[in-house]
Amino acid sequence: MSPAQGEFTIAHGGGAAEPGKAIPSLLLLFPRGKRPGSDVLRGAIAQADRISLSLDHADSDGVADDGPWFELGTTAVTMELRGFGVAKSSDAIKAKALSASIDEAAEAAGFGQLEALMLHVSPHLESGAMATPVLRALCSAGARIGAHLENLAAFAWPDSGVLVAPAQFSQMMDDWSTASQPPAAFFVGFRDEIDQGMVSRGLSRFTQQELRLEPELVDNRSDAIRLGQRVAAQLIPMGRMSEAQEFTLPDTRILRLEPSANGRFVRAFLG
C-alpha cells in the first residue's frame, strides 16, 4: 500500500488539534472496536526488543484526568503510550489520542473508521522531540511494539496526514536505521490549493516553513507529490531557508526555491 494522504482528526472530545501545536506523536491505528487494551499492550511491550515498561498507570484508581498510560523506556529515550482507556477530561490533546477518524486518507487506503493509540516522547523531552535520534527512536519503538499487535491497520503521523501499512512502516524504519534523514514520504504530506498549486503539511516541524509547489509543477498530482517529497527530503537537513536556491531536476529542468515574503513558505517553481 502506498502512503495515503488526507485530512484526519483525533477524536478526543475537545476538537481537532491545531497542526504544529500538539506534541509530535506517532499514531497506531486499529479498526473501530479492535484497539487493544492494557493487558494486550503489556504483552506486546514485553515481546518488543529493547523496550521496557517503566511505569504502569493503566489500572490505578488514581488515574489522572489525562487517562491511563504507560511510560516506556529504551536505551535512547523515554516515551508515553496513551489512548487505550477512557480519559476523564476533554482537553489536553497530548493526553487524548482515544480514537481517530481517518477521512480522506483512510478512504484512499481502503479503511473504514479507525481508532488510535498515541506514542510520544516523555514531556521532559518534548523540546527535542524532532531531533533525528529522538524521532527515530520513537518511531522504531512504535514499529517494534506494533509487530506484536493483532489488527494493527496502519501507522500515521498527524502533522503530515499520511498513513502507511504496518509492513511498509517497518521497512521505512529499517531503511532509516542506515540513513541520516527521516523518510519524507511519511513525515511530509501535501494538500491541494485553490489555484491548483500544492502545499506541504508537516515540513514546518523540521524547518519552520512549509513547501509550496506552484501550479506549473502540478500537471500530475501523484508526480507533484513525489517531487515535493524529494525536495522536502533535501530541505529537512538544511533547516529554514532565507535565500533562493536552484536545483537541477532529473529531467534537467531547473527548480527554483525561494522563501515567501512572509517567510512561512518555501516557494518552488521552474527557474
Side-chain angles (χ1 to χ4, degrees):
M1 181 183 78
S2 299
Q5 303 189 62
E7 301 291 336
F8 65 88
T9 59
I10 302 173
H12 58 92
E18 293 182 34
K21 299 299 184 183
I23 186 171
S25 304
L26 176 70
L27 300 187
L28 287 71
L29 302 172
F30 300 83
R32 187 166 292 277
K34 300 292 186 179
R35 183 175 49 188
S38 57
D39 287 342
V40 172
L41 289 171
R42 288 188 189 99
I45 293 164
Q47 295 178 75
D49 293 336
R50 304 184 304 281
I51 301 174
S52 62
L53 178 55
S54 51
L55 288 176
D56 187 333
H57 291 283
D59 303 317
S60 170
D61 290 337
V63 170
D65 285 350
D66 56 6
W69 57 282
F70 292 140
E71 181 183 85
L72 310 180
T74 72
T75 56
V77 299
T78 58
M79 58 195 74
E80 297 179 358
L81 180 64
R82 299 181 180 269
F84 52 88
V86 178
K88 296 179 182 177
S89 81
S90 59
D91 52 8
I93 180 63
K94 71 177 182 179
K96 300 291 191 313
L98 302 180
S99 63
S101 174
I102 309 298
D103 300 324
E104 295 175 15
E107 182 178 352
F111 294 125
Q113 284 193 318
L114 299 173
E115 296 179 338
L117 298 175
M118 181 169 69
L119 186 67
H120 61 74
V121 297
S122 296
H124 70 279
L125 295 173
E126 185 173 349
S127 62
M130 294 304 295
T132 295
V134 176
L135 188 61
R136 181 160 44 197
L138 175 77
C139 292
S140 177
R144 297 200 302 276
I145 294 170
H148 302 287
L149 292 174
E150 293 185 13
N151 301 312
L152 178 61
F155 290 87
W157 188 250
D159 288 341
S160 66
V162 172
L163 67 153
V164 300
Q168 184 179 5
F169 185 74
S170 180
Q171 184 61 56
M172 283 181 171
M173 293 304 102
D174 287 344
D175 293 343
W176 194 10
S177 68
T178 57
S180 59
Q181 298 304 325
F186 183 64
F187 292 110
V188 181
F190 284 85
R191 60 178 174 81
D192 298 318
E193 291 277 87
I194 194 169
D195 67 351
Q196 310 305 314
M198 300 185 77
V199 171
S200 68
R201 299 176 59 199
L203 180 61
S204 60
R205 279 285 197 186
F206 298 90
T207 67
Q208 291 78 56
Q209 294 169 312
E210 295 294 349
L211 172 65
R212 172 176 161 80
L213 302 178
E214 298 298 333
E216 63 195 73
L217 294 170
V218 194
D219 288 339
N220 179 285
R221 190 176 188 275
S222 296
D223 290 344
I225 289 175
R226 283 191 289 271
L227 171 62
Q229 288 172 339
R230 286 199 299 270
V231 174
Q234 296 197 45
L235 291 175
I236 287 173
M238 293 171 54
R240 186 176 182 85
M241 177 177 286
S242 58
E243 297 181 356
Q245 299 194 35
E246 293 185 347
F247 295 89
T248 301
L249 298 176
D251 60 8
T252 73
R253 293 182 299 170
I254 300 299
L255 182 71
R256 182 173 176 82
L257 303 177
E258 64 179 36
S260 62
N262 61 13
R264 294 175 54 199
F265 300 90
V266 172
R267 299 178 58 211
F269 50 91
L270 294 176

